[in-house]
Amino acid sequence: MSQTPHAHPTDLNTAKQLGLLPEEFQHIVEALGRVPNFTELCAFSGMWSEHCSYKNSIKWLKTLPRTGPDMLAEAGKENAGLIDIGDGLACAFKIESHNHPSAIEPYQGAATGVGGINRDIFTMGARPIAQLNALFFSHPAETKSQWLMRGVVKGIGDYGNAFGVPTVAGQVFFDDSFRQNPLVNAMSAGIVEHHKVMSAIATGAGNPVYIVGSATGKDGIHGASFASGDITESSADNLPAVQVGDPFQEKLLLEATLELIDSGAAVGIQDMGAAGIICSTSEMSEKGGHGMDIYLDRVPTRGGEMQPYELLLSESQERMLVVVHKGREKEVEAIFDRWDLQCACIGEVTGQDRLRFYMHGTLEAELPASLLVLGGGAPVYEREFAEPAYIKTAKQFSPSQIPQPKNLKDTALKLHAQPNLVSRTWVTRQYDSTIGTANLSANKPSDAAIIWVKGTQKALALTVDVNPRYVQADPKKGAMIAVAEAARNIACSGATPKAITNCLNFGNPYQPEAYWQFVHAVKGMGEACKAFGTPVTGGNVSFYNQFTKGNQTIPVAPSPSIGMLGLLHDLKHHTGLAFQKPGEAIFLLGEATNDIASSEYLRCFYPDLLSPAPYFVLEKEIVLCTLIQHAIAQGLVASAHDVSEGGLWQCLLESAYPNMLGFEAFLDDSFRPDAYLFGEGQGRILISADPENEEALLDLASEAGVPLTLIGHTLPNKVRVEGEDWGNIEDWYTIYTESLEKYLQVTQ
């Protein structure tokens, strides 16, 4: 065999065309001591893309709290985060974006996002038991938004339903900034026994290396680079960069992988996601301090002859790289044959930091594994950032600028029909939320999804949260609010927040104003996670999300999605958001304010007015979450629902709908009526309780220093505010359930 890489001359211009910076090309030449050939340069293009290397974000990501007493895997070092949940069990969980593919081909873009995140879970030995998602579109009445939304939701539903994992929670947020560039964030969680956890590592010189699962095709080539660039009018020309998914193949791959792990024949396993073979071989090798010899002509392919660089960079779905203990090859091959999956030995582990890729006996590329990867030779940058001018304008906002509504009921009716406040039933009915029979929230809706850990009295609590409007107004505070709201959702459901995974969706990192948003959001997230004791287990950064307005390129509203894991220690403490019966007392736990900043109310009636993020005090959030957990544990609470988008009024209605109960609510003369009902000041929870528990609740709240206000009581049907008849609960429910379908022009 040839011992020097096959020559395919490259130069700086070739590097630029592949997305590499001039200084990066020079660094590669110096590190190798020669000019790389085309195949090698393609490898660097994929591995040094933002999507794989985090070169523009890792400096700030390292400031996040990344350790905790329950963490079983170092943040970012494995395919997913891993948290100890007791009884010898752990939860593997992660969230990632599939934004750019979904913008171009929404069905496959979203479907393959679901497939990829589930592979991250089961390659660690965990069986996925729950999926979540966070979706961001423009107004649902817009034609393009409808096309994107229909494709994305159907892609998620079709793949997840066929794969056999319930979609249990998520969010859909509408904002004009997502018109050209929607965001699609997929999250998955699974359960694994401690002794079955599998690492993404390559060790043991001479151990064989297998590629398993689907054949490799030309779909997804340069997908990592595609995800690390701007969406433009010509982006549709990059359709080959969008992968095609097969959920039935993935189901087989799941079962075969778990059987392989049970057998003990595997050394390490890694999902073949972004940048394909080059990513899996380099990351597993670098982690294990080894190398690999890979024979690309042994890779099973479909669709004709493929070039070496295509084989290295293809992101065809439902594939994984497996390092196997030497001598157990027949056993491994038998497992995959039993599941009717391809399983091909394509190389072996070597004892040095060197990746060698051969094609028909010719050495096509030879590279140090450590030079390619994050934490090794991949570049790290500190970009310039500057506060956007709009921030100063937003800070000048005062509620006194806004006149009181002339008719509070009419205002509430219009507000309740806004896209961000209406029911998402059109979306959720396309997802199977009950498969696996562990989703306890299916019959008892709660602020977080509660997923039973079978064989125990425990459950996982899962949620994904962010309000891009808050982050746009104040990135640091907005990101802190996202963490705090996730924690409130967990606590209101009766569980304890444990850890987070994040998906950080921002604009072009080379634009100082967009990078300023990113930096300050990371700072806020880190501060909040430290306060809540919820370390960051890993996640994803998605840059280059933006839209064109005239001659300007403007970032989408910054959206750091927070996926939080909590643990419900006893199933009997699972608390729903629904009022339970007529005659319950309704309390507001937390501080009411005159704040209407960044609210749906303000956006609805004054859409062009800039304002800061809503009222928020981190220290009070910690106390509030602890308090509601204690109240639930003592059996004092019938329902709990955190106050968020739409304010107290939206919260009251959402608690009333599940059991179709009415309520009477009273205002507080100390506050503007619109701010009291529709403001989105943070740190508040709406609870209902048996009236006889009022004194105990008051004592508990007083001891914690948290205001507890009796604001009304539940009724059989009627809705009343300050004694005024505001109609039947059915009338409001009709607005809530039918508005989204009207926007989407859905016909039955």
Side-chain angles (χ1 to χ4, degrees), residues 60-106:
W60 293 101
L61 297 180
K62 285 184 175 179
T63 66
L64 294 170
R66 295 150 63 92
T67 59
D70 299 317
M71 287 185 66
L72 299 177
E74 187 178 347
K77 295 297 184 181
E78 295 292 353
N79 287 318
L82 196 66
I83 295 294
D84 183 13
I85 60 171
D87 298 318
L89 300 174
C91 176
F93 73 117
K94 189 180 183 183
I95 188 170
E96 281 197 340
S97 66
H98 234 223
N99 301 335
H100 283 36
S102 300
I104 304 304
E105 211 299 296

Side-chain angles (χ1 to χ4, degrees), residues 51 54 61 94-99 117 134 136 183-187 464-466 500-506 518 525 536 538-543 545 558-563:
H51 194 72
Y54 294 91
L61 297 180
K94 189 180 183 183
I95 188 170
E96 281 197 340
S97 66
H98 234 223
N99 301 335
I117 198 65
F136 305 83
L183 304 180
V184 177
N185 298 172
M187 180 175 167
V464 57
D465 295 283
V466 69
I500 77 158
T501 177
N502 59 47
C503 191
L504 310 181
N505 308 278
F506 290 84
F518 168 76
M525 184 191 318
V536 180
N540 175 225
V541 176
S542 175
F543 281 135
N545 298 291
S559 308
S561 298
I562 303 298

Side-chain angles (χ1 to χ4, degrees), residues 262-275:
D262 282 345
S263 76
V267 175
I269 305 176
Q270 180 156 324
D271 164 42
M272 207 165 285

Side-chain angles (χ1 to χ4, degrees), residues 146-427:
Q146 291 175 2
W147 175 72
L148 289 167
M149 189 173 174
R150 290 175 192 275
V152 165
V153 172
K154 184 170 175 55
I156 291 171
D158 284 0
Y159 200 105
N161 296 350
F163 179 57
V165 177
T167 301
V168 299
Q171 71 171 127
V172 183
F173 190 90
F174 299 102
D175 186 82
D176 290 345
S177 70
F178 303 114
R179 181 171 289 118
Q180 296 175 19
N181 197 142
L183 304 180
V184 177
N185 298 172
M187 180 175 167
S188 182
I191 299 293
V192 59
E193 295 176 71
H194 286 191
H195 68 281
K196 292 184 178 180
V197 172
M198 178 58 57
S199 181
I201 195 169
T203 57
N207 279 334
V209 178
Y210 281 80
I211 188 170
V212 301
S214 295
T216 298
K218 295 189 178 185
D219 54 319
I221 294 173
H222 285 299
S225 301
F226 174 57
S228 304
D230 298 339
I231 289 288
T232 66
E233 292 179 358
S234 63
S235 291
D237 298 338
N238 291 324
L239 272 176
V242 179
Q243 309 95 323
V244 178
D246 182 348
F248 301 103
Q249 188 86 340
E250 176 125 327
K251 174 62 175 172
L252 297 176
L253 189 58
L254 160 67
E255 300 301 340
T257 300
L258 296 183
E259 185 176 335
L260 170 65
I261 292 170
D262 282 345
S263 76
V267 175
I269 305 176
Q270 180 156 324
D271 164 42
M272 207 165 285
I277 289 175
I278 186 60
C279 184
S280 299
T281 55
S282 59
E283 290 185 349
M284 292 179 76
S285 295
E286 189 276 338
K287 183 176 180 181
H290 283 63
M292 292 183 187
D293 285 344
I294 299 294
Y295 306 95
L296 294 172
D297 49 288
R298 299 181 187 175
V299 175
T301 60
R302 63 176 187 269
E305 187 72 20
M306 293 181 68
Q307 297 298 314
Y309 82 91
E310 294 176 315
L311 289 163
L312 282 182
L313 293 178
S314 170
E315 296 179 11
S316 294
Q317 296 292 285
E318 293 88 38
R319 302 178 303 154
M320 298 192 303
L321 198 72
V322 182
V323 176
V324 171
H325 288 291
K326 188 173 179 61
R328 303 189 68 175
E329 294 90 340
K330 295 293 185 183
E331 184 180 349
V332 171
E333 291 166 8
I335 290 173
F336 285 93
D337 182 63
R338 188 156 52 248
W339 288 100
D340 197 24
L341 291 169
Q342 294 188 90
C343 173
C345 182
I346 63 170
E348 61 273 337
V349 176
T350 63
Q352 55 185 332
D353 177 24
R354 189 68 49 178
L355 295 173
R356 290 187 289 257
F357 297 97
Y358 296 91
M359 188 78 169
H360 302 301
T362 299
L363 181 62
E364 294 287 349
E366 183 174 9
L367 299 167
S370 59
L371 184 59
L372 290 165
V373 303
L374 167 67
V380 176
Y381 298 117
E382 183 173 356
R383 297 297 176 198
E384 294 182 2
F385 54 90
E387 181 178 288
Y390 75 83
I391 293 291
K392 183 178 180 180
T393 304
K395 289 178 179 178
Q396 296 171 353
F397 170 80
S398 170
S400 61
Q401 298 172 238
I402 307 302
Q404 285 288 333
K406 295 179 180 178
N407 186 306
L408 206 57
K409 179 185 175 183
D410 288 348
T411 300
L413 286 166
K414 181 177 180 179
L415 183 61
H416 198 47
Q418 295 306 298
N420 282 327
L421 301 181
V422 298
S423 170
R424 304 295 193 259
T425 303
W426 179 86
V427 174

Side-chain angles (χ1 to χ4, degrees), residues 401-545:
Q401 298 172 238
I402 307 302
Q404 285 288 333
K406 295 179 180 178
N407 186 306
L408 206 57
K409 179 185 175 183
D410 288 348
T411 300
L413 286 166
K414 181 177 180 179
L415 183 61
H416 198 47
Q418 295 306 298
N420 282 327
L421 301 181
V422 298
S423 170
R424 304 295 193 259
T425 303
W426 179 86
V427 174
T428 57
R429 71 183 176 209
Q430 297 185 55
Y431 305 150
D432 190 332
S433 63
T434 60
I435 189 169
T437 65
N439 181 9
L440 303 183
S441 299
N443 294 320
K444 188 177 183 178
S446 47
D447 279 7
I450 301 297
I451 313 301
W452 177 35
V453 180
K454 293 184 178 181
T456 76
Q457 283 300 303
K458 297 177 181 178
L460 305 181
L462 297 164
T463 185
V464 57
D465 295 283
V466 69
N467 186 312
R469 193 170 295 122
Y470 299 168
V471 188
Q472 176 85 7
D474 185 331
K476 183 177 181 181
K477 185 186 286 188
M480 294 171 76
I481 289 173
V483 174
E485 183 181 357
R488 285 199 306 272
N489 285 332
I490 298 286
C492 284
S493 304
T496 303
K498 302 293 283 187
I500 77 158
T501 177
N502 59 47
C503 191
L504 310 181
N505 308 278
F506 290 84
N508 190 324
Y510 295 92
Q511 293 183 353
E513 291 80 6
Y515 199 66
W516 182 89
Q517 293 175 330
F518 168 76
V519 169
H520 283 77
V522 171
K523 288 181 177 180
M525 184 191 318
E527 190 173 328
C529 285
K530 288 175 185 175
F532 278 103
T534 52
V536 180
T537 62
N540 175 225
V541 176
S542 175
F543 281 135
Y544 304 98
N545 298 291

